[in-house]
Amino acid sequence: MDKILVLDFGGQYNLLIARRVRAKHVYAEVRPFQSVTAEGIKASGYRGIIFTGGPNSVYDAASPHIDPRVLELGIPVLGICYGHQLMAYTAGGTVAPSESGSEYGKATLYAEDCALLNGVPAESVCWMSHTDGVRELPEGFRIVAHTDKCAVAAMCDDKRKLYGVQFHPEVTHTEYGSRILENFVFGICRCEAEWKMDDFIRRTVGECRAKLAGKNVIMALSGGVDSSVAAVLLHRAVGEKLTCVFVDHGLLRKDEGDFVENALGKALGLRIVRVNAEERFLSALKGVTEPEKKRKIIGSEFIRVFEEEAGKIGKIDLLAQGTIYPDVIESGKGDSDVIKSHHNVGGLPDRLKFGGIVEPLRELFKDEVREVGRQLGIPRELVERQPFPGPGLAVRIIGEVTREKLSILREADAVFREEIDRAGVVGCSQYFAVLTDTKTVGVMGDARTYGYTVALRAVTTDDFMTASWTKIPYEVLESAAGRITNEIKGVARVVYDITSKPPATVEWE
Ligand code: XMP
């Protein structure tokens, strides 16, 4: 199978590059730049190498460098952003802060004819993010594109098949980015499009089978897409040696616990230990109104329950987790503000790491995980389900969490989701109901009512880092509001949340 090596120099979009290549059915794997040698690359039979971007300047003492022999292996190389500068620097050119200053965001790319830019018009939009730029070209290179601020937006040495682009072809804002990657992968590296998701499944199952032979594996199943797909994949590898602990904290959506148990346990044969711990979580949450406190309590209670269950199972060698690539990026951002203390299995303390961790989905993006899930035969409703936060409905109930409020919210949420699904609203990435702690006056028949205000929330987003509120047709909102106030006792009013993220977050708490 033809494969591309993505050499990681610490940029933000590194896995995105691999994902874009894989989406073209060519296998791409990401390796940290320190972990490879020129000989190793040659021996591994890669058809092409991509140097990623990175936050450094090639002249910083601590910045990542590469053995110059990598450029002489006869394997085509594409350098992107920092990778482009590194290629120039390594091949004997010079790099310096751009004379016209940093360039961030949209720019017009003026392209010339070359194998890499084949099919890219003379003017198109590209996406830039850099301070340094290539100043003097290395020998054998020529400039094949520029922007108003960047003289060497793309360079190439056709003879050695070395190409560099200052802009980011992997982001969707670069109009012909996909075409450029295709030119590299197919036109220049001559790869065959023969990689499919079932290759990933076969390889991962095989690797896990070898690595986990004879070992007992435990994992916390949340019923979300990632942990479900990871569990089914691991079950293929180790069968009964995998025990899934499903902690039902009583904060799940309507019928969710049974659904997960049936879909994964009964239908796919996973060994699931379901712990019904509602009582325990609700008493720990009694009287608590502060969002972060709720999250912390649920997180630590979850760990306690999981630990107790693990203790009952006996000897466990490894902990499996449904970590996916965006989790890896997010957890890497150590300096960023804690907006919300996200609770999921990734947050398990060190004492629970057992003999090691298995994370079979670590390199995949959400849509790839879904594809794996579909191919593993996991039901569509599970694979395509919207995200649901670890602390569950507790962060969708403003104020104290009680049984009564949970029951109102569960029903309201089920109605809203049903209405959206029935109407087939497009572009709705996540949609749910929130129970506010505001009670208002209403009138039903001739009588005064006094009940809760339910807020409906629906967002459109690609990555959940930013999101816009979904412009749901009025008729859908109307029927949802009508049904919620009529069918659910205790609700007097329904409102729709029209805030985007930022400034709001998707969840209310
Ligand atoms: P926010 O509210 O931070 O949500 O804008 C972004 C996405 O993350 C989900 N979310 C969570 N997921 N554990 C999770 O696994 C959590 O604690 C958590 N909090 C929020 C949220 O539903 C949205 O999809």
Side-chain angles (χ1 to χ4, degrees), residues 295 339-344 387-391 395-396 430 432 463-465 501 504-509:
R295 283 176 171 271
I339 310 288
K340 290 174 189 181
S341 46
H342 274 215
H343 149 88
N344 48 30
F388 184 63
V395 292
R396 295 179 180 172
Q430 195 174 5
F432 54 89
D463 56 11
F464 296 91
M465 308 288 278
K501 172 184 180 176
T505 51
V506 174
E507 302 289 345
W508 274 38
E509 287 196 338

Side-chain angles (χ1 to χ4, degrees), residues 165-243:
V165 290
Q166 183 56 69
F167 57 90
H168 288 269
E170 70 277 22
V171 303
T172 47
H173 306 66
T174 295
E175 242 181 318
Y176 287 86
S178 175
R179 175 68 197 246
I180 292 169
L181 290 176
E182 265 166 30
N183 287 342
F184 180 69
V185 170
F186 298 120
I188 295 165
C189 301
R190 303 262 164 223
C191 288
E192 295 282 336
E194 53 190 4
W195 183 77
K196 292 184 287 321
M197 214 28 120
D198 50 2
D199 294 323
F200 169 85
I201 297 174
R202 218 172 307 118
R203 184 174 55 93
T204 310
V205 168
E207 280 171 11
C208 288
R209 200 168 278 155
K211 199 163 120 191
L212 309 178
K215 301 218 159 82
N216 291 310
V217 185
I218 191 171
M219 95 171 267
L221 195 66
S222 69
V225 181
D226 307 340
S227 69
S228 303
V229 172
V232 176
L233 199 56
L234 284 168
H235 182 251
R236 285 248 177 126
V238 300
E240 285 290 293
K241 290 269 183 192
L242 171 73
T243 306

Side-chain angles (χ1 to χ4, degrees), residues 135-346:
R135 180 69 59 83
E136 284 162 353
L137 290 181
E139 225 181 282
F141 280 79
R142 66 188 171 105
I143 297 175
V144 285
H146 68 278
T147 67
D148 292 326
K149 282 186 143 193
C150 178
V152 191
M155 61 179 191
C156 75
D157 173 346
D158 288 311
K159 216 161 131 219
R160 286 188 290 172
K161 292 195 170 22
L162 303 178
Y163 302 85
V165 290
Q166 183 56 69
F167 57 90
H168 288 269
E170 70 277 22
V171 303
T172 47
H173 306 66
T174 295
E175 242 181 318
Y176 287 86
S178 175
R179 175 68 197 246
I180 292 169
L181 290 176
E182 265 166 30
N183 287 342
F184 180 69
V185 170
F186 298 120
I188 295 165
C189 301
R190 303 262 164 223
C191 288
E192 295 282 336
E194 53 190 4
W195 183 77
K196 292 184 287 321
M197 214 28 120
D198 50 2
D199 294 323
F200 169 85
I201 297 174
R202 218 172 307 118
R203 184 174 55 93
T204 310
V205 168
E207 280 171 11
C208 288
R209 200 168 278 155
K211 199 163 120 191
L212 309 178
K215 301 218 159 82
N216 291 310
V217 185
I218 191 171
M219 95 171 267
L221 195 66
S222 69
V225 181
D226 307 340
S227 69
S228 303
V229 172
V232 176
L233 199 56
L234 284 168
H235 182 251
R236 285 248 177 126
V238 300
E240 285 290 293
K241 290 269 183 192
L242 171 73
T243 306
C244 300
V245 177
F246 175 39
V247 179
D248 182 347
H249 47 27
L251 307 165
L252 298 172
R253 287 167 290 196
K254 191 175 176 184
D255 302 329
E256 191 165 21
D258 295 342
F259 168 70
V260 170
E261 203 178 358
N262 287 332
L264 298 176
K266 299 213 171 88
L268 291 175
L270 270 67
R271 184 219 293 259
I272 299 178
V273 177
R274 177 167 172 182
V275 192
N276 294 313
E278 181 189 37
E279 196 61 52
R280 195 167 161 164
F281 279 83
L282 287 190
S283 58
L285 287 168
K286 201 166 168 47
V288 181
T289 55
E290 210 269 310
E292 272 302 286
K293 205 160 164 205
K294 281 187 198 170
R295 283 176 171 271
K296 294 253 157 66
I297 290 172
I298 295 166
S300 50
E301 204 56 39
F302 178 90
I303 289 162
R304 243 172 269 147
V305 175
F306 185 75
E307 214 167 7
E308 282 171 24
E309 290 308 314
K312 289 181 201 160
I313 292 167
K315 184 177 171 296
I316 294 162
D317 304 296
L318 290 157
L319 174 72
Q321 299 190 323
T323 317
I324 67 168
Y325 186 66
D327 304 334
V328 179
I329 314 180
E330 278 185 23
S331 53
K333 287 187 187 153
D335 300 334
S336 56
D337 255 15
V338 175
I339 310 288
K340 290 174 189 181
S341 46
H342 274 215
H343 149 88
N344 48 30
V345 200

Side-chain angles (χ1 to χ4, degrees), residues 457-460 467-472 496-501:
R457 177 83 164 137
V459 293
T460 302
S468 52
W469 62 277
T470 310
K471 318 296 179 284
I472 292 177
Y496 186 51
D497 180 351
I498 54 162
T499 338
S500 290
K501 172 184 180 176

Side-chain angles (χ1 to χ4, degrees), residues 120-142:
V120 178
E123 281 187 33
S124 66
V125 172
C126 72
W127 198 82
M128 287 283 194
S129 178
H130 68 116
T131 303
D132 284 357
V134 173
R135 180 69 59 83
E136 284 162 353
L137 290 181
E139 225 181 282
F141 280 79
R142 66 188 171 105

